[in-house]
Amino acid sequence: MASTTEYDLSGRICASLDKHLALAILEFLASRASSGASADAIREAKLAVVEKTYMCDYAVDLYCEARQTKDVPEHLKKRKEEVLVTLNELKEKVAPIVDFLSKSENVKLLKSDRAQNMSFLQNEFQIGPSQVDALFSFAKWMYECGNYNAAHEYLYHYRTLSSHPEKNTSALWGRIASSILLQDFQSALDDVVKLKELLENDTFAPVQRQLQQKSWLMHWSLFVFFNHENGMNGLVDLFTQDRYLTAIQLCAPHLLRYLVVAVLVGKKRTRLLKDLVRVISQERYEYSDPITEFVRCLYVDYDFEGAQEKLEQCAFVLEGDFFLIAKKDAFIEAAREQLFSQYCAIHKCIDLEALSKQLGMQTEDTERWLVNLIRGSRLQASIDSGAGTITIKNQGLSSYEQLLEKARGLSLRTFSLANNVMLF
C-alpha cells in the first residue's frame, strides 16, 4: 500500500517555484505532519526558505518556534535592520512616481504607448527612467517583504511604463506569483496567458532556456489551474501543446500526474487519453506513480486487477498532494468510470459482484452507481437485479468522434516529428 510520502512530489515541484510559492506547499506539508521528525524537518525547511526572503518578523517567529527559545539571534536582528534601511532608501527614490500613481486621475492620463507615457511623465512631472527602474526594484522589495498587494499594483504600473524586455518579463512572473498568493486566480490566469505569449515569441533564446521557462510556467500554473473554475480544461490545453509536452518529457515528466488527473476529471477531454497513454508509456522508465500506472494498466495492459490495485493507491497519493487533494473524490469517480468503460468494451454481460470487486465497491453501491450512470445518459445498459447482471448495449463512435480520433492521430505524428527535430 502506497503511503502519502512515498510518491511525494513536493521537492521536485518546489525546485521550480519562487520561494514564496514554495512556502505554500511547505505550509500544507506542515499541516499534515503535526509532530515527530517529519514536522521538525518541515519547520527547518520553512525557516531556511523564509530566511532567504525579507519577511524578517516571520523568520524570527519560525526560528523561535523551531529552537524553542525567545532569544532572537543577531543575524536575524541585523538582517531586519538592513532590510529597513534599504526599504527607506527605495521609498525616497520612488516617492515622486508612487505619489503620481496614487491618484486615479493621473493614472487615467497614461496611454497604451509606453514611449509616449515616458515622455509625458518626463515633461509634466519630471519623472524619468531612473524612477521607473526604482519602481521595479521597490515592487520586488515589497514582494520579498510579503506585501503582495503593493507588489502586484506596482508591477502592473511598471509594465505600462517600461520598455525593458527582460524586466517586463520578470515583472509578469512577479504579478503571477502575487496574484496566486492573493488568491486572485483570474488575474493570475490572465497573466499566465500573457507570459506564455512572451515566451513563445522569444524564439532566439537557447533551446535549453526555452524548455526550462516553459517547465517553470507549467509548475507555477498548477496553482492557477487547480483553483480556477475552468482550470482542468486550461491545464490540458497548455500541457498538451507540442512544445509544452516536449518540455514535460525532457524536463519534468512528473507533471504527467497532473495532466492525467486533469484529463480524467475534465471528462469532456477524455478523448485525449489515447495520446496521453502513449506518452506515459514512453516516459515510464523516467517517471511513474499509481496515477500514471492506473492509466497504463487500463489502456495498455488491459489489466483490470492491476488497475484496481493502482486506483486504491491513488487515493493515498491524492491525499498527500498539495494540488490534488481537493480533486480526490472527482478523480476516483472518473477513474471508476474509465475502468468500467474499458471493462464493458470486453464484456457484454457483466456479473455485478465481479464488477464490484473490480471497482473496489460493495455490490449495492455498485448497482446504485450504475443506475446514476444510466440516468445521466452516460451509459447504454440494462440491469437485471434478480440475476445480478448488467447487459451492455453497443456504443460505437459517431462519425464526428471517428473524425476527431483520426485528427488526433495525425496531431500526435506531427508532434513526434517536431520533437525529433528539436532534439537535433
Side-chain angles (χ1 to χ4, degrees), residues 47-110:
L47 178 59
V49 171
V50 173
E51 284 188 337
K52 295 177 183 178
T53 72
Y54 301 149
M55 297 187 292
C56 301
D57 291 336
Y58 187 24
V60 169
D61 292 340
L62 287 176
Y63 179 91
C64 293
E65 178 186 357
R67 304 292 189 274
Q68 295 183 348
T69 181
K70 294 183 179 180
D71 298 327
V72 181
E74 287 300 320
H75 76 276
L76 289 180
K77 291 180 181 179
K78 184 178 180 181
R79 182 169 178 79
K80 183 174 182 178
E81 292 173 358
E82 294 172 348
V83 167
L84 291 175
V85 168
T86 305
L87 182 59
N88 289 329
E89 291 174 354
L90 285 172
K91 282 182 177 179
E92 290 182 12
K93 291 181 181 179
V94 300
I97 192 169
V98 168
D99 182 61
F100 171 85
L101 295 172
S102 65
K103 300 172 183 176
S104 58
E105 61 270 20
N106 288 343
V107 176
K108 292 178 182 178
L109 297 174
L110 298 175

Side-chain angles (χ1 to χ4, degrees), residues 151-294:
H152 189 268
E153 179 184 355
Y154 293 142
L155 289 172
Y156 167 79
H157 290 304
Y158 175 80
R159 295 194 73 249
T160 64
L161 298 173
S162 174
S163 299
H164 194 291
E166 292 184 4
K167 285 187 177 179
N168 258 314
T169 302
S170 180
L172 202 47
W173 282 103
R175 273 183 56 82
I176 292 172
S178 298
S179 296
I180 291 170
L181 294 164
L182 292 170
Q183 298 188 11
D184 183 357
F185 297 110
Q186 183 58 54
S187 177
L189 180 59
D190 294 340
D191 286 331
V192 164
V193 173
K194 293 176 184 176
L195 182 56
K196 176 177 175 290
E197 293 175 357
L198 281 179
L199 296 182
E200 290 177 352
N201 292 332
D202 188 17
T203 55
F204 295 104
V207 173
Q208 183 61 35
R209 179 185 172 188
Q210 292 184 45
L211 290 170
Q212 185 182 56
Q213 291 199 330
K214 287 179 173 61
S215 174
W216 287 345
L217 180 59
M218 286 187 285
H219 282 87
W220 288 39
S221 70
L222 293 175
F223 288 92
V224 182
F225 292 134
F226 281 100
N227 286 282
H228 193 278
E229 59 183 358
N230 195 36
M232 296 301 91
N233 288 331
L235 187 149
V236 173
D237 289 340
L238 178 64
F239 284 31
T240 55
Q241 290 184 30
D242 290 352
R243 294 180 180 180
Y244 287 84
L245 197 54
T246 298
I248 289 176
Q249 291 183 278
L250 296 179
C251 302
H254 54 273
L255 291 178
L256 287 171
R257 171 188 294 186
Y258 303 99
L259 181 54
V260 169
V261 172
V263 167
L264 288 184
V265 172
K267 296 176 183 177
K268 294 181 180 179
R269 315 306 296 273
T270 51
R271 64 180 185 273
L272 298 170
L273 272 172
K274 287 187 177 180
D275 292 347
L276 182 56
V277 166
R278 293 188 185 99
V279 177
I280 289 172
S281 297
Q282 291 171 7
E283 299 302 317
R284 185 187 180 197
Y285 298 103
E286 294 294 330
Y287 176 78
S288 67
D289 63 29
I291 294 174
T292 61
E293 282 296 286
F294 166 78

Side-chain angles (χ1 to χ4, degrees), residues 22-37:
L23 274 175
I25 293 181
L26 290 175
E27 291 285 359
F28 168 77
L29 296 177
S31 69
R32 301 181 62 80
S34 57
S35 61

